[in-house]
mmCIF file of all heavy atoms in Angstrom:
data_model
loop_
_atom_site.group_PDB
_atom_site.id
_atom_site.type_symbol
_atom_site.label_atom_id
_atom_site.label_comp_id
_atom_site.label_asym_id
_atom_site.label_seq_id
_atom_site.Cartn_x
_atom_site.Cartn_y
_atom_site.Cartn_z
ATOM 1 N N LEU A 211 -168.569 34.082 -133.102
ATOM 2 C CA LEU A 211 -168.080 34.923 -132.028
ATOM 3 C C LEU A 211 -167.840 34.249 -130.758
ATOM 4 O O LEU A 211 -166.817 34.447 -130.117
ATOM 5 C CB LEU A 211 -169.191 36.058 -131.824
ATOM 6 C CG LEU A 211 -168.714 37.049 -130.632
ATOM 7 C CD1 LEU A 211 -167.617 37.795 -131.015
ATOM 8 C CD2 LEU A 211 -169.904 38.057 -130.491
ATOM 9 N N TYR A 212 -168.631 33.209 -130.521
ATOM 10 C CA TYR A 212 -168.485 32.391 -129.312
ATOM 11 C C TYR A 212 -167.157 31.574 -129.404
ATOM 12 O O TYR A 212 -166.342 31.618 -128.421
ATOM 13 C CB TYR A 212 -169.619 31.349 -129.125
ATOM 14 C CG TYR A 212 -169.524 30.356 -128.103
ATOM 15 C CD1 TYR A 212 -169.711 30.778 -126.741
ATOM 16 C CD2 TYR A 212 -169.241 29.016 -128.329
ATOM 17 C CE1 TYR A 212 -169.543 29.842 -125.749
ATOM 18 C CE2 TYR A 212 -169.076 28.110 -127.234
ATOM 19 C CZ TYR A 212 -169.297 28.584 -125.993
ATOM 20 O OH TYR A 212 -169.238 27.654 -124.947
ATOM 21 N N GLU A 213 -166.926 30.949 -130.542
ATOM 22 C CA GLU A 213 -165.655 30.195 -130.747
ATOM 23 C C GLU A 213 -164.467 31.205 -130.581
ATOM 24 O O GLU A 213 -163.427 30.874 -130.055
ATOM 25 C CB GLU A 213 -165.601 29.596 -132.067
ATOM 26 C CG GLU A 213 -166.609 28.328 -132.180
ATOM 27 C CD GLU A 213 -166.764 27.938 -133.668
ATOM 28 O OE1 GLU A 213 -166.633 28.800 -134.655
ATOM 29 O OE2 GLU A 213 -167.148 26.787 -133.807
ATOM 30 N N ARG A 214 -164.530 32.387 -131.232
ATOM 31 C CA ARG A 214 -163.412 33.361 -131.093
ATOM 32 C C ARG A 214 -163.100 33.632 -129.674
ATOM 33 O O ARG A 214 -161.935 33.796 -129.280
ATOM 34 C CB ARG A 214 -163.872 34.639 -131.976
ATOM 35 C CG ARG A 214 -162.725 35.622 -131.856
ATOM 36 C CD ARG A 214 -163.143 36.943 -132.546
ATOM 37 N NE ARG A 214 -162.136 37.899 -132.408
ATOM 38 C CZ ARG A 214 -161.718 38.652 -133.465
ATOM 39 N NH1 ARG A 214 -162.237 38.596 -134.572
ATOM 40 N NH2 ARG A 214 -160.760 39.542 -133.274
ATOM 41 N N ARG A 215 -164.113 33.950 -128.850
ATOM 42 C CA ARG A 215 -163.839 34.271 -127.505
ATOM 43 C C ARG A 215 -163.257 33.167 -126.713
ATOM 44 O O ARG A 215 -162.390 33.327 -125.906
ATOM 45 C CB ARG A 215 -165.237 34.693 -126.930
ATOM 46 C CG ARG A 215 -165.807 35.846 -127.376
ATOM 47 C CD ARG A 215 -165.776 37.160 -126.570
ATOM 48 N NE ARG A 215 -166.088 38.274 -127.192
ATOM 49 C CZ ARG A 215 -167.262 38.927 -127.175
ATOM 50 N NH1 ARG A 215 -168.278 38.296 -126.664
ATOM 51 N NH2 ARG A 215 -167.486 40.060 -127.818
ATOM 52 N N ILE A 216 -163.628 31.859 -127.014
ATOM 53 C CA ILE A 216 -162.971 30.729 -126.375
ATOM 54 C C ILE A 216 -161.566 30.689 -126.848
ATOM 55 O O ILE A 216 -160.597 30.519 -125.849
ATOM 56 C CB ILE A 216 -163.772 29.461 -126.828
ATOM 57 C CG1 ILE A 216 -165.157 29.454 -126.092
ATOM 58 C CG2 ILE A 216 -162.988 28.203 -126.337
ATOM 59 C CD1 ILE A 216 -166.041 28.250 -126.607
ATOM 60 N N ILE A 217 -161.333 30.810 -128.066
ATOM 61 C CA ILE A 217 -159.835 30.743 -128.531
ATOM 62 C C ILE A 217 -158.993 31.803 -127.878
ATOM 63 O O ILE A 217 -157.976 31.580 -127.387
ATOM 64 C CB ILE A 217 -159.738 30.848 -130.041
ATOM 65 C CG1 ILE A 217 -160.333 29.576 -130.715
ATOM 66 C CG2 ILE A 217 -158.370 31.053 -130.548
ATOM 67 C CD1 ILE A 217 -160.635 29.697 -132.210
ATOM 68 N N GLU A 218 -159.537 33.021 -127.797
ATOM 69 C CA GLU A 218 -158.872 34.184 -127.219
ATOM 70 C C GLU A 218 -158.565 33.892 -125.726
ATOM 71 O O GLU A 218 -157.438 34.197 -125.210
ATOM 72 C CB GLU A 218 -159.514 35.382 -127.450
ATOM 73 C CG GLU A 218 -159.506 35.985 -128.889
ATOM 74 C CD GLU A 218 -160.385 37.150 -129.138
ATOM 75 O OE1 GLU A 218 -161.342 37.441 -128.362
ATOM 76 O OE2 GLU A 218 -160.221 37.828 -130.165
ATOM 77 N N ALA A 219 -159.589 33.436 -125.058
ATOM 78 C CA ALA A 219 -159.543 33.110 -123.632
ATOM 79 C C ALA A 219 -158.497 32.100 -123.363
ATOM 80 O O ALA A 219 -157.683 32.165 -122.352
ATOM 81 C CB ALA A 219 -160.817 32.767 -123.017
ATOM 82 N N ARG A 220 -158.477 31.001 -124.106
ATOM 83 C CA ARG A 220 -157.444 29.947 -123.968
ATOM 84 C C ARG A 220 -156.014 30.450 -124.201
ATOM 85 O O ARG A 220 -155.174 30.013 -123.566
ATOM 86 C CB ARG A 220 -157.878 28.745 -124.767
ATOM 87 C CG ARG A 220 -159.037 27.945 -124.311
ATOM 88 C CD ARG A 220 -159.238 26.765 -125.126
ATOM 89 N NE ARG A 220 -160.472 26.165 -124.589
ATOM 90 C CZ ARG A 220 -161.032 24.989 -125.201
ATOM 91 N NH1 ARG A 220 -160.567 24.586 -126.273
ATOM 92 N NH2 ARG A 220 -162.138 24.509 -124.689
ATOM 93 N N ALA A 221 -155.887 31.209 -125.307
ATOM 94 C CA ALA A 221 -154.573 31.820 -125.561
ATOM 95 C C ALA A 221 -154.094 32.677 -124.408
ATOM 96 O O ALA A 221 -152.877 32.621 -123.986
ATOM 97 C CB ALA A 221 -154.560 32.682 -126.847
ATOM 98 N N ARG A 222 -155.015 33.536 -123.815
ATOM 99 C CA ARG A 222 -154.661 34.327 -122.673
ATOM 100 C C ARG A 222 -154.221 33.537 -121.473
ATOM 101 O O ARG A 222 -153.338 33.823 -120.745
ATOM 102 C CB ARG A 222 -155.916 35.218 -122.385
ATOM 103 C CG ARG A 222 -155.503 36.652 -122.229
ATOM 104 C CD ARG A 222 -156.663 37.548 -121.901
ATOM 105 N NE ARG A 222 -157.995 37.079 -121.894
ATOM 106 C CZ ARG A 222 -158.886 37.175 -122.932
ATOM 107 N NH1 ARG A 222 -158.304 37.790 -124.040
ATOM 108 N NH2 ARG A 222 -159.961 36.769 -122.900
ATOM 109 N N SER A 223 -154.982 32.429 -121.274
ATOM 110 C CA SER A 223 -154.733 31.548 -120.131
ATOM 111 C C SER A 223 -153.326 30.981 -120.150
ATOM 112 O O SER A 223 -152.765 30.649 -119.078
ATOM 113 C CB SER A 223 -155.863 30.481 -119.980
ATOM 114 O OG SER A 223 -155.586 29.470 -120.923
ATOM 115 N N VAL A 224 -152.722 30.689 -121.266
ATOM 116 C CA VAL A 224 -151.420 30.132 -121.386
ATOM 117 C C VAL A 224 -150.401 31.144 -121.844
ATOM 118 O O VAL A 224 -149.286 30.831 -122.132
ATOM 119 C CB VAL A 224 -151.392 28.994 -122.461
ATOM 120 C CG1 VAL A 224 -152.142 27.722 -121.950
ATOM 121 C CG2 VAL A 224 -151.819 29.295 -123.761
ATOM 122 N N ASP A 225 -150.843 32.520 -121.677
ATOM 123 C CA ASP A 225 -149.944 33.595 -121.959
ATOM 124 C C ASP A 225 -149.330 33.607 -123.348
ATOM 125 O O ASP A 225 -148.106 33.824 -123.436
ATOM 126 C CB ASP A 225 -148.813 33.590 -120.796
ATOM 127 C CG ASP A 225 -148.195 34.897 -120.666
ATOM 128 O OD1 ASP A 225 -148.798 35.994 -121.051
ATOM 129 O OD2 ASP A 225 -147.117 35.021 -120.241
ATOM 130 N N LEU A 226 -150.189 33.318 -124.306
ATOM 131 C CA LEU A 226 -149.728 33.410 -125.698
ATOM 132 C C LEU A 226 -150.642 34.366 -126.505
ATOM 133 O O LEU A 226 -151.746 34.595 -126.106
ATOM 134 C CB LEU A 226 -149.753 31.997 -126.340
ATOM 135 C CG LEU A 226 -148.701 30.969 -125.858
ATOM 136 C CD1 LEU A 226 -149.162 29.663 -126.491
ATOM 137 C CD2 LEU A 226 -147.398 31.355 -126.204
ATOM 138 N N SER A 227 -150.142 34.872 -127.611
ATOM 139 C CA SER A 227 -151.040 35.595 -128.486
ATOM 140 C C SER A 227 -151.859 34.604 -129.203
ATOM 141 O O SER A 227 -151.564 33.377 -129.233
ATOM 142 C CB SER A 227 -150.251 36.393 -129.553
ATOM 143 O OG SER A 227 -149.642 35.530 -130.413
ATOM 144 N N VAL A 228 -152.956 35.045 -129.756
ATOM 145 C CA VAL A 228 -153.885 34.062 -130.494
ATOM 146 C C VAL A 228 -153.103 33.419 -131.631
ATOM 147 O O VAL A 228 -153.256 32.183 -131.780
ATOM 148 C CB VAL A 228 -155.092 34.874 -131.038
ATOM 149 C CG1 VAL A 228 -155.952 33.937 -132.016
ATOM 150 C CG2 VAL A 228 -155.990 35.407 -129.918
ATOM 151 N N SER A 229 -152.219 34.212 -132.334
ATOM 152 C CA SER A 229 -151.486 33.676 -133.376
ATOM 153 C C SER A 229 -150.627 32.516 -133.006
ATOM 154 O O SER A 229 -150.557 31.501 -133.611
ATOM 155 C CB SER A 229 -150.734 34.862 -134.086
ATOM 156 O OG SER A 229 -149.988 34.301 -135.211
ATOM 157 N N GLU A 230 -149.827 32.836 -131.910
ATOM 158 C CA GLU A 230 -148.891 31.810 -131.373
ATOM 159 C C GLU A 230 -149.671 30.560 -130.814
ATOM 160 O O GLU A 230 -149.204 29.514 -131.084
ATOM 161 C CB GLU A 230 -148.100 32.452 -130.218
ATOM 162 C CG GLU A 230 -147.088 33.399 -130.588
ATOM 163 C CD GLU A 230 -146.435 34.097 -129.391
ATOM 164 O OE1 GLU A 230 -147.191 34.368 -128.428
ATOM 165 O OE2 GLU A 230 -145.225 34.302 -129.456
ATOM 166 N N TYR A 231 -150.842 30.789 -130.179
ATOM 167 C CA TYR A 231 -151.649 29.704 -129.752
ATOM 168 C C TYR A 231 -152.111 28.828 -130.875
ATOM 169 O O TYR A 231 -152.025 27.570 -130.747
ATOM 170 C CB TYR A 231 -152.778 30.295 -128.964
ATOM 171 C CG TYR A 231 -153.745 29.191 -128.418
ATOM 172 C CD1 TYR A 231 -153.477 28.527 -127.266
ATOM 173 C CD2 TYR A 231 -155.014 28.998 -129.090
ATOM 174 C CE1 TYR A 231 -154.377 27.529 -126.821
ATOM 175 C CE2 TYR A 231 -155.773 28.051 -128.604
ATOM 176 C CZ TYR A 231 -155.467 27.346 -127.536
ATOM 177 O OH TYR A 231 -156.495 26.374 -127.015
ATOM 178 N N LEU A 232 -152.660 29.435 -131.835
ATOM 179 C CA LEU A 232 -153.198 28.605 -132.906
ATOM 180 C C LEU A 232 -152.067 27.855 -133.691
ATOM 181 O O LEU A 232 -152.144 26.696 -134.238
ATOM 182 C CB LEU A 232 -154.033 29.410 -133.911
ATOM 183 C CG LEU A 232 -155.371 29.984 -133.438
ATOM 184 C CD1 LEU A 232 -155.964 30.939 -134.344
ATOM 185 C CD2 LEU A 232 -156.269 28.804 -133.148
ATOM 186 N N ARG A 233 -150.865 28.529 -133.921
ATOM 187 C CA ARG A 233 -149.785 27.934 -134.603
ATOM 188 C C ARG A 233 -149.345 26.706 -133.725
ATOM 189 O O ARG A 233 -149.017 25.661 -134.320
ATOM 190 C CB ARG A 233 -148.697 28.888 -134.756
ATOM 191 C CG ARG A 233 -147.543 28.556 -135.634
ATOM 192 C CD ARG A 233 -146.442 29.546 -135.784
ATOM 193 N NE ARG A 233 -146.971 30.945 -136.027
ATOM 194 C CZ ARG A 233 -146.761 31.909 -135.183
ATOM 195 N NH1 ARG A 233 -146.135 31.787 -134.093
ATOM 196 N NH2 ARG A 233 -147.241 33.140 -135.478
ATOM 197 N N GLU A 234 -149.231 26.970 -132.401
ATOM 198 C CA GLU A 234 -148.735 25.696 -131.592
ATOM 199 C C GLU A 234 -149.586 24.550 -131.627
ATOM 200 O O GLU A 234 -149.323 23.461 -131.712
ATOM 201 C CB GLU A 234 -148.546 26.229 -130.189
ATOM 202 C CG GLU A 234 -147.894 25.355 -129.246
ATOM 203 C CD GLU A 234 -146.334 25.156 -129.633
ATOM 204 O OE1 GLU A 234 -145.703 26.061 -130.192
ATOM 205 O OE2 GLU A 234 -145.785 24.122 -129.206
ATOM 206 N N ILE A 235 -151.019 24.933 -131.493
ATOM 207 C CA ILE A 235 -152.086 23.901 -131.544
ATOM 208 C C ILE A 235 -151.953 23.171 -132.878
ATOM 209 O O ILE A 235 -152.076 21.856 -132.950
ATOM 210 C CB ILE A 235 -153.428 24.427 -131.224
ATOM 211 C CG1 ILE A 235 -153.638 24.734 -129.815
ATOM 212 C CG2 ILE A 235 -154.551 23.556 -131.755
ATOM 213 C CD1 ILE A 235 -153.768 23.537 -128.872
ATOM 214 N N GLY A 236 -151.810 23.860 -134.006
ATOM 215 C CA GLY A 236 -151.841 23.265 -135.339
ATOM 216 C C GLY A 236 -150.668 22.420 -135.547
ATOM 217 O O GLY A 236 -150.742 21.408 -136.203
ATOM 218 N N ILE A 237 -149.527 22.795 -135.021
ATOM 219 C CA ILE A 237 -148.169 22.067 -135.333
ATOM 220 C C ILE A 237 -148.107 21.009 -134.462
ATOM 221 O O ILE A 237 -147.830 19.785 -134.818
ATOM 222 C CB ILE A 237 -147.058 22.962 -135.336
ATOM 223 C CG1 ILE A 237 -147.079 24.014 -136.482
ATOM 224 C CG2 ILE A 237 -145.684 22.244 -135.378
ATOM 225 C CD1 ILE A 237 -146.185 25.102 -136.428
ATOM 226 N N THR A 238 -148.261 21.207 -133.109
ATOM 227 C CA THR A 238 -147.904 20.052 -132.160
ATOM 228 C C THR A 238 -149.129 19.330 -131.615
ATOM 229 O O THR A 238 -149.043 18.290 -131.064
ATOM 230 C CB THR A 238 -147.073 20.639 -130.912
ATOM 231 O OG1 THR A 238 -147.938 21.500 -130.289
ATOM 232 C CG2 THR A 238 -145.905 21.182 -131.411
ATOM 233 N N GLY A 239 -150.342 20.058 -131.688
ATOM 234 C CA GLY A 239 -151.585 19.445 -131.219
ATOM 235 C C GLY A 239 -151.780 19.700 -129.695
ATOM 236 O O GLY A 239 -152.677 19.248 -129.098
#
């Protein structure tokens, strides 16, 4: 739950959905 909240907060901070955020991190790093 802690990791999920961090991921969601970081996605929100860069104005992306969680899906877009994880996809971008996974592809480009």
